[in-house]
Amino acid sequence: MSKMVLLIEDEPNIIEAINFLLKRDGWDVKTHANGHDALDAIHRNKPDLIVLDVMLPGKSGYEILRDLRTEEDNKALPVLMLTARGQDKDRDLATQLGATRFMTKPFSNAELLSVVRAMMDP
Amino acid sequence: MNNRSTPTYLPRKSYRARRLVDAAKLMPYLAVLLWMLPMLWQGEDANLRVSRIILYIFGVWFFLIATQIVINFFLNRVSKEVELPLEPQNKNQGDVG
Amino acid sequence: MLNILIFVCLLYVAFLFGVAFFAEQSTKINRARWLRSPWIYTLSLSVYCTAWTFYGAVGYAARSGLEYLTIYIGPSLVMFGWWVLLRKLVRIGRRNRITSIADLISSRFGKSNSIAIFVTILAVVGTTPYIALQLQSVTLSFQVFAANDDLGSSTNLADRTAIWVASGLAFFTILFGTRNLDVNERHDGVVMAIAVEAVVKLLALLAIGVFVVWGLSSGISETMARIDASSFGQWSVSNGRWATLTFLSAAAFLCLPRMFHVLVVENKDEKFLQTASWAFPLYVALISLFVVPIAVTGLSLMPVGSNPDLYVLSLPLSQGRDGLAVFAFLGGFSSATSMVIVAALALSTMISNQIVMPLWLRYTGGRASISGDVRRVVLFARRGSIALILFLGYLYYDLSGGGAALASIGLVSFAGVAQILPVMLGGLFWRGATQKGALAGLIVGFTIWLITLFIPSVGLYGASTDTILTNGIYGVSWLRPQALFGVTSLDPLVHSVFWSMILNTATFVFISLITLPSPIERLQSAQFVNVYDQSTQAQNWQAEAGKSEDLMVMAQRILGAEEAQRLFQIEVRKQGGSGYLPEATPEFLQKLERELSGSVGAATAHAMIGQIVGGMSVSVENLLAMADETAQMMEYSSGLEVQSAELRRTAGQLREANEKLTRLSLQKDAFLSQISHELRTPMTAILSFTEILRDNHGLSETQVAQYAEIIYDEAHRLTRLLDDLLDLSVLENGQVRLNLAETDIVEVINRATHTALSAKSGADLKIWVKMPKNLPRIVTDADRLGQVFLNLISNAQKYCNKAPASLRIKGVVRGTFITLDFIDNGQGVPREEQELIFEKFSRIGQPESSGAGLGLAICKEIMSRLGGDIDYLPGQGGGAFRVVLPL
């Protein structure tokens, strides 16, 4: 059974792109489009990896990450943060809150795929 | 030259204004006096004709009306030139309208 | 004959409606300069002359000689003394937005509710029989004509007349007296109708007089001879009654609710008093001029036993002068109706402001002032009270059987309301008068009046009347109602007035001396007694931050949205800020309270503001300052006041500027981050799909098409963003070129509405547009204006989270501007964000929508280029924007 990626992102066209790329690469992909019940979606789907956008309606990606890391089971769950801001302080904040990897939009498809593969197969 | 004559001129104006206000204040007392006078008549001159009393009362009425008109006329004229005592102008009334 | 009379009567009533309507319309379109004339004011004072004086004076003269003159001499005395008393009363009334005599007393004595209720009850008790008297007079005058027609005087006719008159008057009063809740409590329509009626009744009485003197006698000398030869040719007036009745009518002239209403509340300019000071005495002199000749002629010509109260009608009828009789009838009708209309209006104001509103406020608790529709409640209370008062009047007429008992009620009523006089004069001239003293004095005076005059005269002691009158209450001889404390030598009326006024005043003064006033009473007493002295403007509120929006909501509910917004805006300008929400400074609260009290009365207005600002906040410092009111002190502190006001204004401006700068710098910082986000997001999708298409690993036709479409859309989004940024920068730098042309605003709105509703992303939104008729075309840039409208409408579509969502667009012409309000039913913009929404990239709350947050910034720039403005309009219960455009 293939491993599952949960994509938390609110821009429909970016969802479409990442969904297409990861599925083609053989991963099982679930998506969730807002911030405030993102944690529920994580508990429900029990993904092997999370791709998490920062600017989300209801609750920001940073807050979701912070709350996630307080949970004993999810301390080590791989999380890939995506942000369109891309300043240094954003990267610092993400790392500090416990993001496994950090990527700035826009990214190349190959780059995304290689990062996801690396995170799944450490 | 004009400047020198003004000081003696102004106080006289406001003096007149004050006396006019006094007159306005005295009006009701004058009216009471004149209209209550008939009460003193009935005892001594029982033959006093009602028609005379009527003439007297209405005479007082029209006399007081005329007096009031005269006082008002001078009050208006004076108040255009000097500020009347006890009459801070409606500066603060502005916020009412 | 009777039919013609009814026809004339209806025609006359229709004419009065027309006059009232015309006057109201004239006021509305500001052509009412002639309505603001001292002559109208003087004529309106003639509500003093009721049917009781129109018909009754002749009857009074026929029975008691010249005594009737006192009824007119009293008011003349008051008018001659206008400088001393009326001027002060009117000044206080206007300054404090007094709405009735109960409001005046309550306001003076610490905005007390209990005293207001008491005065209101006293007024209602004193006035109801008087209204019944007017109904009776109209009924009787109809019967005179009916008797002349040999229809007989059926009680059926009487009943029907009374009830028709009562309902007609209720209708008229409600229509013109409560059409809207006027801030100044003035009713131009009613006043105008009253003035016309005043002319009619004077002319009618003069006509009868001329007919009697020159028609039935040969002139003045013969008339005088006839007077001297008649039964009352001797001067025999009781001194006690002459003085007492003069005093009583003077007191009633000041204290009758209807008189207070026309004298003080409807007064538009203090200067009118000056003209009225001689013109009104002239009016009453003319009214009373022919009374004795008519009475004497009636006594000699009419059959023995005919009612002298109706000589004015029966005399011309008996001489075959039907036209003259009809004219006289209209005079009497005018006297009766004008009294009832103004009395009902004044009493309904008192009942609604002093009884209904406080009760309603208490019942609805703290939420009342900002949640209920106060205006509607007040109007409903007014209308209900008017109907109730007229119904009570009719009931009283019906129950009393319209007999002779009613005829004596005029003076009884005078004596009742005169009980207010000591408290009123004390309140105006004596700082030491306290609320407890006033209430005690009123209660004592009212009780004595009830026992000694009212109850005996209306026969409420019933069967035991004689026993009580001769043996005293409970058999206590010094409690004999008409011989209190063993004083037996006085006439019953004089006796009652003597004791009630003496004990009323004594109690008032004594209790005032031994009680202490509350802080608020002391403030009010200074404001009333020293009304000519500007420096005693004391404040009784303390500054309270952050309550402005609640105050705005409440003010709108009472004054109406327009008036409230105007008031708040002026205050903001004065404080040196912008927008619609001023700081709730003590001065502003004071001013607002005064405005509100013009609509709902002093006590209610005070309570309502207290609910929002929290408690009565008179500080110890305030009181100390008041205790030391030396002239220098006042001068010094008023100088300080000016300085500190200036300082406060400057500080306010600086603070606002500083806060804005701080926020702007934070925003500049966020600006880069924002713009990065807005550009990178579409770029991500474009790059990603371009790569996918380039690599093309067996994509289906539809996939290729779909992905190309996405790239296309996102590229468009980028272009739009760049357009907006460019647009804004062009507008900000003033490089924009406007295409000015004559434009129809309504058309621009319609186009914007259409575009917004047909957009595929447009959520369901109901839009109501209400624009003034005959709007002139204006010269503006239609495309730019349309851009603003479209932006506001699509904002409502995006952010209005109510289902069903609706948007009201309302245009109002204000002088040389037109304002367009866009008000949706959503949650609105929180107070702290209202100032930021016009900044770049400031999206409210979470970025749920696709906009980049530039729309309102662009709108602001466009409107300032077009010579107008756009602002957030707080306190509308939803998101609300006001666009202002020059006409």
Side-chain angles (χ1 to χ4, degrees), chain C residues 736-768:
Chain C
V736 68
R737 184 181 298 148
L738 297 173
N739 295 319
L740 296 179
E742 279 216 344
T743 311
D744 180 0
I745 302 182
V746 179
E747 207 171 279
V748 179
I749 290 182
N750 288 342
R751 220 179 305 142
T753 315
H754 186 76
T755 313
L757 291 183
S758 55
K760 63 175 189 249
S761 59
D764 261 347
L765 182 72
K766 272 238 156 51
I767 301 182
W768 278 282

Side-chain angles (χ1 to χ4, degrees), chain C residues 686-879:
Chain C
I686 292 174
L687 269 180
S688 197
F689 280 111
T690 319
E691 247 188 284
I692 293 169
L693 288 178
R694 188 193 61 197
D695 297 347
N696 195 354
H697 296 296
L699 291 173
S700 71
E701 287 269 309
T702 44
Q703 270 175 318
V704 171
Q706 188 196 346
Y707 297 159
E709 181 73 29
I710 289 177
I711 294 171
Y712 179 84
D713 283 347
E714 294 287 352
H716 249 281
R717 180 169 157 194
L718 266 181
T719 318
R720 256 200 327 271
L721 176 65
L722 291 173
D723 281 348
D724 276 359
L725 276 172
L726 272 176
D727 204 12
L728 192 61
S729 108
V730 166
L731 281 165
E732 276 183 339
N733 296 327
Q735 296 158 333
V736 68
R737 184 181 298 148
L738 297 173
N739 295 319
L740 296 179
E742 279 216 344
T743 311
D744 180 0
I745 302 182
V746 179
E747 207 171 279
V748 179
I749 290 182
N750 288 342
R751 220 179 305 142
T753 315
H754 186 76
T755 313
L757 291 183
S758 55
K760 63 175 189 249
S761 59
D764 261 347
L765 182 72
K766 272 238 156 51
I767 301 182
W768 278 282
V769 182
K770 193 178 164 204
M771 298 293 288
K773 276 182 197 133
N774 305 327
L775 200 62
R777 296 166 72 84
I778 62 169
V779 176
T780 191
D781 185 326
D783 292 338
R784 285 298 191 178
L785 194 60
Q787 193 183 345
V788 173
F789 293 163
L790 182 59
N791 204 295
L792 291 176
I793 299 170
S794 30
N795 266 355
Q797 283 175 318
K798 282 180 214 158
Y799 297 111
C800 183
N801 48 4
K802 245 313 166 31
S806 71
L807 174 72
R808 283 178 295 133
I809 304 176
K810 197 178 91 184
V812 177
V813 175
R814 294 160 206 269
T816 58
F817 287 87
I818 177 169
T819 61
L820 299 156
D821 293 350
F822 290 71
I823 304 174
D824 69 35
N825 61 346
Q827 63 188 2
V829 178
R831 170 91 174 96
E832 59 277 11
E833 309 216 24
Q834 285 169 12
E835 277 174 66
L836 287 175
I837 50 178
F838 291 105
E839 307 292 350
K840 280 164 285 194
F841 292 118
S842 66
R843 268 178 294 183
I844 305 152
Q846 295 295 325
E848 290 177 36
S849 70
S850 53
L854 290 174
L856 285 173
I858 292 176
C859 288
K860 188 95 185 169
E861 287 298 333
I862 293 178
M863 287 319 298
S864 90
R865 293 285 158 244
L866 293 181
D869 200 3
I870 177 171
D871 257 315
Y872 189 74
L873 194 61
Q876 304 300 315

Side-chain angles (χ1 to χ4, degrees), chain B residues 21 27 31 35 38-39 42 46 49-51 53 58 61 64-65 68-69 72 76 87-88 92-93 95-96, chain C residues 73 76-77 80 82-83 87 97 228 232-235 237 239 242 274 277-278 281-282 285 532 534 594:
Chain B
V21 169
M27 272 301 283
W35 267 325
M39 295 198 302
Q42 40 191 1
R49 298 257 144 230
V50 166
S51 59
I53 305 272
F58 280 96
W61 223 317
L64 289 171
I65 290 166
Q68 185 83 53
I69 291 176
N72 282 350
N76 278 340
E87 179 94 21
N92 224 32
Q93 293 272 305
D95 61 4
V96 170
Chain C
I73 288 177
S76 296
L77 285 175
F80 286 138
W82 71 286
W83 186 273
R87 204 169 62 104
R97 296 292 172 91
D228 288 338
F232 60 101
Q234 298 284 315
W235 168 244
V237 169
N239 282 351
W242 183 262
Q274 202 178 1
S277 73
W278 60 267
L282 180 62
Y532 297 126
Q534 299 293 338
R594 218 181 298 138

Side-chain angles (χ1 to χ4, degrees), chain C residues 532-555:
Chain C
Y532 297 126
D533 185 3
Q534 299 293 338
S535 56
T536 50
Q537 282 282 330
Q539 275 123 29
N540 50 22
W541 295 106
Q542 281 172 348
E544 186 84 22
K547 300 282 191 187
S548 301
E549 184 149 12
D550 287 347
L551 288 170
M552 173 89 162
V553 173
M554 178 187 71

Side-chain angles (χ1 to χ4, degrees), chain C residues 488-568:
Chain C
T488 50
S489 63
L490 291 178
D491 165 270
L493 179 74
V494 177
H495 169 268
S496 170
V497 172
F498 175 78
W499 278 122
S500 62
M501 293 314 275
I502 293 270
L503 293 177
N504 178 340
T505 311
T507 314
F508 169 47
V509 171
F510 179 70
I511 304 281
S512 289
L513 288 175
I514 61 168
T515 53
L516 286 176
S518 68
I520 203 138
E521 264 185 87
R522 296 192 57 179
L523 287 163
Q524 287 300 98
S525 76
Q527 291 220 8
F528 272 56
V529 176
N530 304 338
V531 66
Y532 297 126
D533 185 3
Q534 299 293 338
S535 56
T536 50
Q537 282 282 330
Q539 275 123 29
N540 50 22
W541 295 106
Q542 281 172 348
E544 186 84 22
K547 300 282 191 187
S548 301
E549 184 149 12
D550 287 347
L551 288 170
M552 173 89 162
V553 173
M554 178 187 71
Q556 286 189 112
R557 295 249 147 84
I558 299 173
L559 303 173
E562 205 140 307
E563 184 64 29
Q565 283 157 18
R566 194 184 61 83
L567 188 73
F568 276 61

